[in-house]
């Protein structure tokens, strides 16, 4: 942490005030942009990285929020510059925005390194944008604040309050079961997502913006403010006001993103009943900050933290707007202070302890007291066994509890398309006791580890009232999803993990209490199958996809690129 006391100590001064032809050119081009010398010379230059686009409904309001950030930066004596960066739309981008998370992180890092900026305000919120921006900012290590996009308004349909994602899955199954007609489904299309903002359930977006807040990278209470609430604009302006002092004080992500901060993020995610995707993203974010975080850390912390957020899909029936007005993350954290590292700094305060002073819970039905938790321990479990030697995860709190211990015969699908084509075929003979297995959906095999993990239940079983089955894959699952779905099986089948060796009819045993997942086939037979296995062809022959396939790591280590995750120092660019 090195404070900036003179304008010449600003990083941007190398571009503007170093003397010589290049500095003259930089000043001339800034005049070309229409700025007066007194508007920017000697002032901290703040990059506003904006993931807005016309096709990202989660971020459709971020154009306006960027203006609020600029307002705050100007008032604090800084010089704001807005930079458009990649938009990762969970809704529209295929095969999955997870394929491009590392690309946005790389863009963030290199943009901050290569331009005359002293710090950054990061605007994002849709699932992969939060970790991508924070990973890039951690690698660049310039002062930074994250502005979460905020949850959308609750959905409504025929007197019911809807949660995006969660109720989409629910009512789609009702439609497949013949209990919901096309007219009702059309009405649902117009009532499920009513405003700008990310999913208003405790899905991946809400989980990760909460993680960003507890890590200390946002303004207090920022993560749950509804996207269209006027408080959201005020928060954005406050972030702009705060980034300038951060630059002057020399406070960087490396000062904030400590081992203790990541342990608190794990505690928070588990206590919120948050998304399984947070496991991958927090491991990757920690790696960029030089912190080693593993699946074992999640498993170690899980038994120590109760689930207190009574929010869909793990709890219920409440949504993020209810959570916000019940006290938001500060109120939630005030109930688990004994589990947190309170003396570490945040971007807004000298310590988390100071930041949480005065935090209250206003509705105990939404944020439960410790004496009446939603669940006694964290809602995500890490599994080990011969089917997942490097681990797998399951959000068991959002599943039917009679399946917590289950043995059943496998029905194997080699890819998601074939599953979609055949899952409803009665000839497969699938019963509620079977274990559905999908492979070829991991980081390399997917490609990009798509959110295929909530495998569809056969239509004829839905018609019989079956709503949950044990399902296993090397894919991910939307944070808004639910069910007894084992995810992130590592190593993935595409690289020869044990999932590649499963055959239909093999018995599989899941025991969540014992944290185990096993294929009940003897070692000799597995070795024989392994000898017969050959790797599938690579998905990409060129371009970014080929780069991705060459460098992506497995789920248990965060699905980062090896060359981005490794330790090392890059020199500052020469601007003279």
């Amino acid at each position: 942490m090195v404070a900036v006391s003179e304008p010449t100590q600003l990083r941007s001064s190398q571009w503007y005030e170093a003397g010589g032809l290049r500095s003259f050119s930089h000043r001339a081009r800034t005049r070309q942009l229409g700025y007066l010398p007194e508007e920017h010379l000697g002032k901290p230059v703040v990059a506003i990285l904006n993931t807005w686009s016309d096709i990202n409904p989660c971020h459709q309001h971020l154009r306006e929020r960027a203006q609020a950030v600029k307002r705050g930066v100007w008032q604090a004596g800084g010089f704001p510059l807005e930079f458009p960066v990649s938009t990762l739309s969970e809704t529209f981008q295929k095969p999955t925005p997870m394929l491009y998370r590392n690309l946005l992180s790389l863009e963030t890092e290199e943009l901050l390194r290569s331009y005359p900026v002293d710090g950054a305000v990061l605007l994002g919120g849709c699932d992969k944008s939060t970790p991508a921006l924070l990973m890039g900012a951690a690698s660049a290590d310039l002062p930074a604040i994250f502005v979460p996009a905020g949850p959308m308004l609750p959905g409504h349909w025929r007197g019911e309050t809807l949660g995006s994602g969660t109720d989409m899955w629910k009512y789609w199954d009702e439609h497949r079961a013949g209990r919901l007609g096309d007219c009702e489904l059309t009405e649902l299309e117009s009532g499920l997502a009513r405003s700008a903002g990310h999913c208003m359930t405790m899905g991946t977006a809400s989980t990760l913006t909460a993680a960003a807040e507890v890590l200390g990278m946002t303004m207090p209470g920022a993560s749950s403010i509804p996207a269209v609430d006027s408080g959201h604009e005020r928060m954005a302006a406050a972030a702009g006001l705060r980034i300038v002092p951060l630059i002057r004080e020399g406070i960087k992500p490396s000062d904030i993103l400590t081992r203790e901060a990541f342990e608190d993020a794990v505690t928070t995610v588990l206590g919120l009943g948050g998304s399984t995707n947070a496991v991958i993203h927090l491991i990757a974010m920690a790696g960029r900050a030089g912190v080693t975080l593993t699946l074992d850390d999640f498993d170690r912390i899980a038994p120590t933290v109760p689930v207190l957020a009574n929010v869909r899909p793990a709890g219920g029936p409440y949504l993020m707007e209810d959570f916000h007005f019940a006290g938001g993350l500060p109120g939630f954290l005030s109930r688990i202070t004994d589990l947190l590292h309170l003396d570490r700094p945040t971007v807004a305060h000298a310590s988390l302890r100071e930041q949480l002073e005065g935090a209250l819970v206003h509705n105990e039905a939404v944020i439960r007291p410790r004496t009446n938790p939603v669940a006694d321990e964290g809602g995500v479990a890490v599994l080990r066994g011969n089917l997942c030697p490097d681990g797998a995860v399951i959000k068991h709190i959002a599943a039917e509890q009679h399946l917590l211990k289950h043995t059943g015969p496998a029905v194997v699908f080699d890819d998601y398309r074939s599953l979609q084509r055949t899952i409803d075929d009665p000839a497969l003979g699938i019963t509620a006791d079977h274990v559905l297995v999908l492979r070829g959906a991991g980081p390399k095999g997917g490609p990009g580890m798509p959110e295929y993990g909530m495998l569809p239940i056969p239509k004829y079983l839905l018609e019989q009232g079956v709503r949950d089955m044990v399902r296993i894959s090397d894919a991910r699952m939307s944070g808004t999803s639910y069910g007894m779905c084992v995810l992130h099986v590592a190593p993935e089948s595409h690289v020869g993990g044990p999932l590649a060796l499963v055959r239909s009819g093999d018995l599989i045993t899941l025991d969540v209490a014992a944290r185990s997942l096993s294929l009940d086939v003897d070692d000799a037979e597995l070795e024989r199958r392994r000898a017969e296995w050959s790797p599938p062809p690579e998905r990409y022959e060129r371009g970014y996809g080929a780069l991705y396939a060459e460098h992506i790591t497995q789920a248990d280590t965060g699905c980062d690129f090896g060359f981005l995750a490794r330790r090392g120092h890059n020199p500052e660019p020469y601007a003279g």
Side-chain angles (χ1 to χ4, degrees):
M1 186 187 303
V2 179
V4 175
S5 57
E6 299 293 335
T8 54
Q9 293 178 299
L10 290 167
R11 182 176 180 272
S12 57
S13 71
Q14 300 174 52
W15 276 260
Y16 287 118
E17 302 183 52
L21 173 62
R22 293 297 180 190
S23 293
F24 168 72
S25 172
H26 298 150
R27 293 192 299 271
R29 291 301 189 178
T30 307
R31 302 299 159 266
Q32 181 185 5
L33 291 168
Y35 293 109
L36 296 165
E38 51 268 36
E39 289 186 87
H40 73 97
L41 289 178
K43 295 181 178 181
V45 179
V46 176
I48 301 171
L49 272 57
N50 195 348
T51 52
W52 171 89
S53 81
D54 269 332
I55 200 168
N56 194 334
C58 304
H59 296 177
Q60 69 184 92
H61 57 308
L62 293 186
R63 253 183 174 175
E64 290 75 26
R65 296 301 176 268
Q67 297 308 309
V69 173
K70 289 180 183 179
R71 192 173 80 219
V73 172
W74 285 119
Q75 291 179 45
F79 178 57
L81 294 171
E82 186 177 356
F83 292 77
V85 292
S86 300
T87 189
L88 304 183
S89 172
E90 199 67 38
T91 307
F92 291 104
Q93 195 168 24
K94 307 300 178 188
T96 168
M98 184 64 177
L99 186 68
Y100 302 102
R101 183 200 67 181
N102 297 342
L103 183 62
L104 175 55
S105 78
L106 181 60
E107 181 183 15
T108 298
E109 176 182 352
E110 296 305 325
L111 186 152
L112 295 179
R113 178 174 289 116
S114 60
Y115 277 95
V117 299
D118 301 295
V121 178
L122 316 167
L123 276 62
C126 189
D127 295 14
K128 312 306 174 292
S129 62
T130 299
L133 290 166
L134 290 174
M135 289 161 67
S139 294
D141 204 27
L142 296 180
I145 293 181
F146 181 70
V147 172
M152 69 177 88
L153 295 177
H156 287 283
W157 175 70
R158 295 190 178 186
E160 292 190 37
T161 301
L162 303 177
S164 60
T166 302
D167 280 310
M168 177 188 74
W169 311 117
K170 171 185 172 182
Y171 285 110
W172 184 253
D173 276 352
E174 292 300 304
H175 176 66
R176 292 180 63 227
R179 294 189 175 94
L180 197 71
D182 292 340
C183 291
E184 290 88 350
L185 210 63
T186 300
E187 290 178 19
L188 278 162
E189 287 179 11
S190 299
L192 196 59
R194 297 173 47 237
S195 75
H198 58 66
C199 292
M200 71 306 231
T201 52
M202 190 59 74
T204 303
S206 293
T207 301
L208 287 170
T209 54
E213 182 175 337
V214 75
L215 282 169
M217 292 299 294
T218 77
M219 299 304 292
S223 62
S224 62
I225 304 172
V228 295
D229 192 297
S230 63
H232 195 269
E233 182 169 354
R234 295 193 297 272
M235 177 270 294
L241 275 166
R242 181 58 188 148
I243 187 61
V244 175
L246 283 177
I247 293 169
R248 296 196 186 281
E249 295 163 17
I251 299 175
K252 300 177 179 180
S254 55
D255 301 309
I256 306 296
L257 299 176
T258 61
R259 171 76 192 183
E260 292 77 14
F262 280 102
E263 289 190 352
D264 288 351
V266 172
T267 298
T268 299
V269 164
L270 293 168
L272 290 171
S275 169
T276 51
N277 286 307
V279 178
I280 290 176
H281 296 311
L282 282 173
I283 289 172
M285 291 158 63
R288 295 293 189 92
V291 174
T292 301
L293 191 69
T294 70
L295 291 177
D296 291 336
D297 291 308
F298 284 83
D299 217 31
R300 171 178 57 83
I301 293 172
T304 71
V305 54
V307 178
L308 302 182
N310 196 19
V311 178
R312 301 182 215 179
Y318 299 103
L319 297 171
M320 288 306 298
E321 186 171 6
D322 304 307
F323 181 80
H324 177 68
F325 290 112
L329 197 69
F332 171 86
L333 295 177
S334 74
R335 302 218 140 158
I336 58 169
T337 52
D338 59 308
L339 305 177
L340 303 174
H341 301 85
L342 298 174
D343 296 321
R344 59 182 179 84
T346 72
V347 294
H349 290 90
S351 69
L352 180 62
R353 184 189 307 278
E354 180 183 315
Q355 183 160 310
L356 295 179
E357 285 181 8
L360 298 170
V361 173
H362 309 296
N363 187 339
E364 292 197 339
V366 181
I367 301 175
R368 296 274 191 91
R370 296 276 283 270
T371 55
N372 183 31
V374 175
D376 291 330
E377 64 175 50
V380 174
V382 175
L383 307 174
R384 304 277 185 179
N386 69 344
L387 195 51
C388 53
D390 292 339
V393 300
I394 187 168
K395 191 174 181 177
H396 56 93
I397 193 176
E400 292 190 9
Q401 300 303 286
H402 74 278
L403 294 170
L404 288 171
K405 187 172 183 179
H406 180 82
T407 298
V411 179
V412 180
F413 301 90
D414 286 321
D415 61 80
Y416 194 66
R417 291 185 186 182
S418 63
L419 180 149
Q420 288 179 306
R421 287 194 306 268
T422 61
I423 189 66
D424 293 330
D425 186 354
L428 291 178
I430 299 173
T431 70
D433 291 328
H434 277 86
V435 175
L436 303 181
V437 175
L438 172 67
R439 55 190 175 211
K444 292 188 71 171
M449 209 178 179
E451 293 183 339
Y452 294 160
M454 186 180 172
L455 309 185
I457 293 171
K459 181 178 178 179
Y460 56 87
L461 291 182
L462 291 173
E463 292 170 346
Q464 296 169 23
V466 176
R467 290 296 180 270
D468 201 3
M469 295 176 65
V470 175
R471 289 161 276 181
I472 300 171
S473 71
D474 45 16
R476 295 178 303 109
M477 180 173 83
S478 168
T480 66
S481 300
Y482 50 86
M484 198 61 74
C485 302
V486 178
L487 311 159
H488 312 179
V489 170
E492 64 174 307
S493 59
H494 194 84
V495 299
L499 203 64
L501 310 180
V502 183
R503 294 182 178 177
S504 291
D506 289 347
L507 290 180
I508 294 176
T509 297
L510 167 68
D511 188 339
V512 175
R515 299 298 194 260
S516 70
L517 179 69
S518 60
L519 178 62
D520 301 337
V521 176
D522 66 63
D523 292 344
E525 172 62 16
L526 290 178
E527 285 305 313
R528 187 183 68 78
R529 294 181 189 180
R530 192 180 307 279
E532 294 175 353
W533 180 83
S534 58
E538 292 297 337
R539 299 283 191 179
Y540 294 97
E541 295 183 354
R542 57 163 303 281
Y544 173 74
L547 176 74
Y548 174 94
E550 183 177 348
H551 294 285
I552 194 68
T553 64
Q554 288 292 296
D556 60 302
T557 54
C559 296
D560 202 356
F561 289 162
F563 66 87
L564 292 177
R566 67 175 176 241
R567 307 288 193 272
H569 174 73
N570 287 335
E572 278 285 304
Y574 178 60

